[in-house]
Amino acid sequence: MAFFRQELAIDLGTANTVIFKDDQVVLDEPSIIAIDSKSGKFIALGLQAQLMEEHTPPGITTVRPLMNGVIADYDAAEMMLTEFIRKATGKKRTIFSPALKTIIGIPGGSTPVDMRSIRDSASHAGANFVEMIYEPMASALGIGLDVTAPNGNMIVDIGGGTTEIAVISLGGIVESASIHIAGNEITTDIIDHMAQQHNIHIGRTTADQIKFAVGSVLPELPEDEAPEPIVITGRNIVTGLPLEASIEYSEIAMCIDKTIAKIENEILKVLQKTPPELYSNIVRNGIWLAGGGSLLRGIARRFSDKVNIPFHVAEDPLKAVARGTCLVLKNAGHYQFMMK
């Protein structure tokens, strides 16, 4: 890297933001910021702000600036990006700071307005050069696939706000879908299920704990894969008194079944539109899963049974997009045609 320029690869996700610098992860934190309601100044962000979520007094507001992979709160997004960049580079940016180049992963369904919002936020946060790459392409690169070869590869990236499905060949996206059915929808399913079946009111933080501890898409798992039940405490919706419940993985599999089925149907729709030669490549190569949703127990097995094509979970799937974005940053000349 030249002395007069810094370079960051950014996966600006709905749930988490990951930043690579010099081939290393320098930041991996939740995409959330805590703001003083009166002054509008930031109080905390990332992990610290997440700990404050659903625990704040009236004077403090926690904001998740991204919704469904795109910016929903411009001011909060700019503030969050500014502070994340400061943490990643190790110093506050001034007019004397080295020029900053960023490449940001964006959802495949981003509109020109969405892209302009992300570009403007990054520019106002201190980036002098802002490039973007579609997340499915970055994810494929991060997994280690040769996306420039005349060979069909399929990616399903289940993030927090969106699920990105893409068929890739010769450095381009041949068929794709970007749907707003992903990790946040699964969290909502769990909240609703706890209210309906156990009369317990829980927040998103507790629902996420349940998802990570006993999240499964199959009601029956091999004994060595089955997690222990998780015990949670919440408020009884009827009486207002504390109520405790023990949650099994099979219960979660049933409550998120419809959401997972929607993702399955979108995968089938993309496959139906895929040209036959690329389809045969995909049958031979299998389909790759990335994103936090790919960590749900049994998901590769369920999708394989439904589609009759092998599914593979990427190594460290949470950072697939960020790794791919970093690769593009290092080889900008080679991958320039992929940038937006």
Side-chain angles (χ1 to χ4, degrees):
M1 181 189 302
F3 173 75
F4 51 83
R5 189 171 76 184
Q6 291 182 315
E7 297 180 334
L8 298 179
I10 303 175
D11 174 14
L12 188 62
T14 302
N16 290 282
T17 295
V18 180
I19 300 180
F20 270 75
K21 177 186 175 186
D22 298 338
D23 286 342
Q24 293 185 328
V25 177
V26 293
L27 185 137
D28 181 3
E29 299 204 29
S31 301
I32 183 171
I33 186 168
I35 300 172
D36 185 298
S37 303
K38 292 182 179 179
S39 67
K41 294 182 178 179
F42 103 94
I43 297 171
L45 79 162
L47 291 169
Q48 288 185 326
Q50 187 180 51
L51 292 173
M52 299 167 70
E53 191 175 24
E54 300 180 311
H55 294 85
T56 56
I60 300 174
T61 304
T62 56
V63 180
R64 290 188 177 270
L66 288 98
M67 184 179 294
N68 299 327
V70 296
I71 293 175
D73 187 322
Y74 183 84
D75 292 335
E78 183 179 324
M79 199 182 304
M80 183 183 75
L81 255 181
T82 300
E83 292 303 318
F84 277 160
I85 288 173
R86 183 191 62 78
K87 290 183 73 172
T89 57
K91 63 179 88 172
K92 185 176 181 179
R93 295 196 60 75
T94 68
I95 58 173
F96 303 107
S97 298
L100 177 63
K101 178 180 179 180
T102 64
I103 297 183
I104 302 174
I106 59 172
S110 298
T111 66
V113 173
D114 298 330
M115 294 168 73
R116 186 163 61 248
S117 295
I118 293 172
R119 193 183 300 276
D120 289 348
S121 283
S123 296
H124 292 155
N128 305 93
F129 308 96
V130 183
E131 301 276 9
M132 288 173 277
I133 182 171
Y134 287 134
E135 288 176 356
M137 186 66 75
S139 185
L141 287 166
I143 291 170
L145 303 179
D146 183 0
V147 299
T148 60
N151 186 30
N153 286 292
M154 189 166 179
I155 304 294
V156 179
D157 189 327
I158 308 172
T162 62
T163 293
E164 305 290 327
I165 305 166
V167 174
I168 296 169
S169 179
L170 289 171
I173 296 176
V174 181
E175 293 292 344
S176 67
S178 180
I179 58 173
H180 299 158
I181 301 167
N184 290 345
E185 186 98 353
I186 292 170
T187 299
T188 300
D189 287 343
I190 294 171
I191 292 172
D192 293 343
H193 175 81
M194 295 304 298
Q196 293 165 7
Q197 299 299 319
H198 295 277
N199 287 331
I200 295 180
H201 180 68
I202 62 171
R204 300 194 72 83
T205 301
T206 301
D208 282 335
Q209 289 174 352
I210 294 171
K211 181 168 65 177
F212 296 135
V214 292
S216 171
V217 300
L218 294 176
E220 294 184 10
L221 291 171
E223 188 174 340
D224 59 334
E225 295 180 22
E228 293 295 319
I230 181 174
V231 177
I232 59 106
T233 303
R235 184 178 73 242
N236 187 309
I237 294 173
V238 178
T239 66
L241 299 174
L243 187 60
E244 193 175 86
S246 177
I247 310 301
E248 303 262 357
Y249 75 84
S250 55
E251 185 176 348
I252 300 304
M254 288 186 289
C255 90
I256 68 174
D257 179 69
K258 289 183 179 178
T259 296
I260 300 300
K262 290 176 185 176
I263 297 174
E264 287 175 342
N265 289 335
E266 288 298 326
I267 293 171
L268 287 169
K269 287 179 184 178
V270 172
L271 282 168
Q272 286 168 358
K273 295 184 292 183
T274 300
E277 292 303 323
L278 294 181
Y279 186 94
S280 64
N281 293 157
I282 292 167
V283 172
R284 184 173 61 251
N285 298 333
I287 299 172
W288 287 90
L289 291 168
S294 67
L295 296 175
L296 287 167
R297 295 166 183 86
I299 193 162
R301 194 176 310 137
R302 171 167 171 162
F303 284 174
S304 297
D305 290 344
K306 177 71 175 182
V307 180
N308 204 25
I309 296 174
F311 277 73
H312 315 289
V313 178
E315 184 179 350
D316 196 6
L318 289 168
K319 295 186 178 65
V321 171
R323 282 198 308 272
T325 307
C326 182
L327 185 63
V328 172
L329 186 65
K330 285 170 54 184
N331 303 278
H334 184 64
Y335 295 115
Q336 184 66 45
F337 67 98
M338 297 180 184
M339 298 185 198
K340 305 299 175 184

